[in-house]
Amino acid sequence: MKSTGLNKTGELTSHFFRNEYGKLVAVITRYLGSEHVETAEDIVQDALLQATKHWDLHGIPDQPKAWLYTTARNLALNALKRRKHQRAYTFHQTNGTFEVEQLPFSEELIEDSQLKMMFWCCHDSIPEHSRIALILKILSGFSISEIANAFFSNKETINKRLVRGRKQLRNVELDSPNEQDLNHRLQTVLKTIYLLFNEGYLPAIKNQTIRFDLCLEAIRLAQLLSDSQLIPKKADIHALLALMYFNVARFKSRVSKTGELMDLREQDRSKWDKELIQYGIQFLDRVVHGNTLSSYALMATISANHCVAASYDKTDWERILSLYDELLLLEQSPIVQLNRCVVLAEVKGIPSAITKLKDLGTQTDIHRYYLYHFTLAEFYKRDQQWLASKLAYEEALKLSENPRDREILKKKKQALVPNSSSQLS
């Protein structure tokens, strides 16, 4: 049965863009050569454009993925012929479509191509920020705006990073790295996957609550690494998978019936997916524990403590605070310190957390992030400092770009005790 309709076609094409874009770019780049990765991206974008136009006119085919892959393969074949490659490629026409006898697009080949491209983009000659931007753009189909979001940066800066990164890529061979290079580049690959997951878990610009497709794509890429025989040491991979599964398990409780994000205190824990929590525990159990834990293992353990707690009040906050203290020894990031302040409020009280959070705002650039002011507003509200809470909500509103977040902030600000004259502490 075929479906028709512009909205349905647009949704399906968008789905393919997220789920198939990176696969197609990776395998086509393998055939065209690493120096032609931008041509591969153009081919995939052209295939998606053709799909949109054709399906709008004739309806979505019974096997849309096969249709898309055939179109992309034919465009790649044409590109190869135009470049006058030495090898002969043959095809014949049947019922108006090309049956290509070369350029195989098998699942095994696609997975191998994606792995090679992930590590290719993380070559030592490419600056770290450019590496992450390249993977998000080439393998995950991120727009420049979305990449800028992930970095708390702007489009101009990200575009410059991509230009520099692509220039360096032309001098790097697309092959399987040796074990030493592979282990060295793995941390950048994992960092990229985690950024991808976070963009889905808490979208910063689009008016969406959760972008499940991005979170699932991040898990899929991490699973590719976990399944690969090329990577002997997988503790960090398994820790990251555990962290993502613990977070995904809480998705159904994170959104209210009216589409608003729910914080941990408000979530209905009966909606948490016990099967996904078990997946997370299994991956965490596979992490080799030594005298110290990696950042991903610590974050996964923190998330595991939340997932196994019977209720918010019965959460082992002191244990979680100690885990954050360990994490800060490895990663002195403002975001980690912000999250620690939330736990500190449960262990040592709101005044102590407010003091720590205000110090953090003067010592780092976290004050440019709307969630810093949102957290401060929530602390002031719990401490009944109504005017201070109102001002903090207003500052968060100035910095927030997502309509979803702005709506939540407005409602919380309006719900404050009216006509209060409390002053900032």
Side-chain angles (χ1 to χ4, degrees):
M1 180 71 66
K2 294 183 180 181
S3 302
T4 58
L6 181 60
N7 289 338
K8 181 66 175 177
T9 302
E11 290 173 7
L12 187 57
T13 306
S14 177
H15 169 78
F16 278 134
F17 187 83
R18 284 302 186 194
N19 288 275
E20 309 300 335
Y21 180 89
K23 299 178 185 179
L24 288 168
V25 170
V27 75
I28 291 173
T29 300
R30 186 182 187 127
Y31 291 125
L32 298 184
S34 58
E35 67 274 21
H36 301 303
V37 63
E38 290 180 76
T39 301
E41 290 184 86
D42 290 341
I43 286 171
V44 175
Q45 289 168 7
D46 193 6
L48 287 162
L49 181 61
Q50 288 192 29
T52 302
K53 291 180 178 179
H54 188 86
W55 298 352
D56 280 346
L57 202 60
H58 302 287
I60 299 172
D62 293 328
Q63 296 182 309
K65 180 176 177 179
W67 194 102
L68 182 66
Y69 274 45
T70 298
T71 301
R73 187 165 46 206
N74 290 336
L75 291 170
L77 179 63
N78 291 339
L80 284 167
K81 291 179 66 178
R82 285 196 301 271
R83 295 183 184 282
K84 300 180 179 179
H85 279 224
Q86 296 296 317
R87 184 177 176 183
Y89 292 87
T90 60
F91 59 90
H92 60 275
Q93 192 169 3
T94 305
N95 297 327
T97 61
F98 289 113
E99 301 255 333
V100 183
E101 296 177 353
Q102 298 293 336
L103 301 186
F105 275 32
S106 68
E107 289 298 324
E108 182 180 356
L109 186 69
I110 289 170
E111 288 185 8
D112 183 65
S113 298
Q114 287 183 99
L115 279 170
K116 286 183 177 180
M117 183 162 281
M118 273 195 279
F119 287 98
W120 177 55
C121 290
C122 294
H123 192 271
D124 282 343
S125 64
I126 302 169
E128 183 181 83
H129 283 166
S130 292
R131 298 175 199 170
I132 297 172
L134 285 167
I135 289 183
L136 292 177
K137 180 71 175 69
I138 296 172
L139 268 174
S140 299
F142 265 42
S143 68
I144 291 177
S145 294
E146 288 168 327
I147 300 172
N149 256 349
F151 284 115
F152 302 107
S153 186
N154 56 65
K155 291 189 287 185
E156 182 180 358
T157 298
I158 296 303
N159 194 50
K160 288 179 180 177
R161 290 177 187 174
L162 286 169
V163 169
R164 286 196 298 267
R166 291 181 190 280
K167 185 177 180 180
Q168 291 297 122
L169 278 180
R170 296 189 186 101
N171 301 317
V172 179
E173 187 175 351
L174 180 59
D175 58 5
S176 298
N178 59 43
E179 184 175 332
Q180 183 177 357
D181 285 343
L182 186 147
N183 289 329
H184 182 68
R185 297 186 212 169
L186 180 60
Q187 291 306 314
T188 302
V189 174
L190 293 177
K191 184 177 181 180
T192 303
I193 291 173
Y194 189 43
L195 276 172
L196 175 60
F197 182 87
N198 281 337
E199 172 58 25
Y201 193 68
L202 192 65
I205 281 186
K206 289 199 174 183
N207 191 18
Q208 294 174 283
T209 306
I210 299 174
R211 297 170 65 183
F212 293 99
D213 54 344
L214 300 191
C215 294
L216 294 177
E217 173 69 5
I219 290 175
R220 186 189 69 81
L221 292 173
Q223 193 67 59
L224 271 177
L225 297 173
S226 178
D227 294 340
S228 172
Q229 300 301 313
L230 297 173
I231 306 173
K233 298 178 181 179
K234 300 179 180 178
D236 279 349
I237 300 171
H238 294 155
L240 179 56
L241 278 165
L243 174 61
M244 292 191 292
Y245 272 117
F246 287 138
N247 288 340
V248 166
R250 304 199 296 265
F251 270 8
K252 289 183 180 178
S253 66
R254 288 189 71 229
V255 185
S256 70
K257 292 181 180 179
T258 57
E260 296 179 356
L261 282 177
M262 308 280 286
D263 65 30
L264 196 59
R265 185 190 298 272
E266 300 170 324
Q267 289 179 20
D268 181 355
R269 297 185 179 223
S270 67
K271 294 181 179 180
W272 289 5
D273 193 315
K274 293 180 175 58
E275 184 176 1
L276 293 180
I277 290 173
Q278 283 303 311
Y279 282 142
I281 291 172
Q282 289 170 19
F283 276 111
L284 192 56
D285 285 344
R286 292 165 69 179
V287 176
V288 178
H289 291 276
N291 294 326
T292 58
L293 295 175
S294 71
S295 295
Y296 294 118
L298 285 166
M299 288 189 288
T301 307
I302 289 169
S303 192
N305 273 268
H306 286 300
C307 285
V308 300
S311 67
Y312 186 87
D313 292 334
K314 293 181 180 179
T315 303
D316 190 347
W317 293 109
E318 290 190 1
R319 169 62 176 153
I320 293 175
L321 185 62
S322 69
L323 288 167
Y324 269 113
D325 290 339
E326 289 186 61
L327 183 57
L328 281 173
L329 294 175
L330 300 177
E331 187 179 337
Q332 281 283 340
S333 80
I335 294 296
V336 172
Q337 294 180 68
L338 173 63
N339 291 335
R340 182 185 179 277
C341 286
V342 176
V343 180
L344 186 67
E346 302 299 332
V347 177
K348 295 190 176 181
I350 294 295
S352 178
I354 289 175
T355 299
K356 194 69 176 177
L357 197 55
K358 289 170 71 175
D359 289 343
L360 180 63
T362 59
Q363 295 166 4
T364 70
D365 62 356
I366 192 73
H367 60 273
R368 299 177 182 175
Y369 186 32
Y370 91 94
L371 276 179
Y372 166 79
H373 296 282
F374 171 76
T375 305
L376 198 53
E378 291 287 287
F379 285 168
Y380 282 135
K381 181 172 67 175
R382 289 173 62 184
D383 203 39
Q384 298 185 8
Q385 297 188 51
W386 310 118
L387 179 59
S389 181
K390 174 179 176 290
L391 294 174
Y393 278 132
E394 289 174 351
E395 194 63 32
L397 273 165
K398 292 178 186 177
L399 296 171
S400 176
E401 297 183 25
N402 192 317
R404 172 211 66 211
D405 297 330
R406 293 180 61 80
E407 188 62 30
I408 293 172
L409 289 166
K410 288 177 182 177
K411 287 182 179 179
K412 285 184 172 290
K413 176 188 167 186
Q414 291 168 359
L416 290 172
V417 174
N419 302 321
S420 173
S421 58
S422 300
Q423 299 299 310
L424 282 165
S425 59

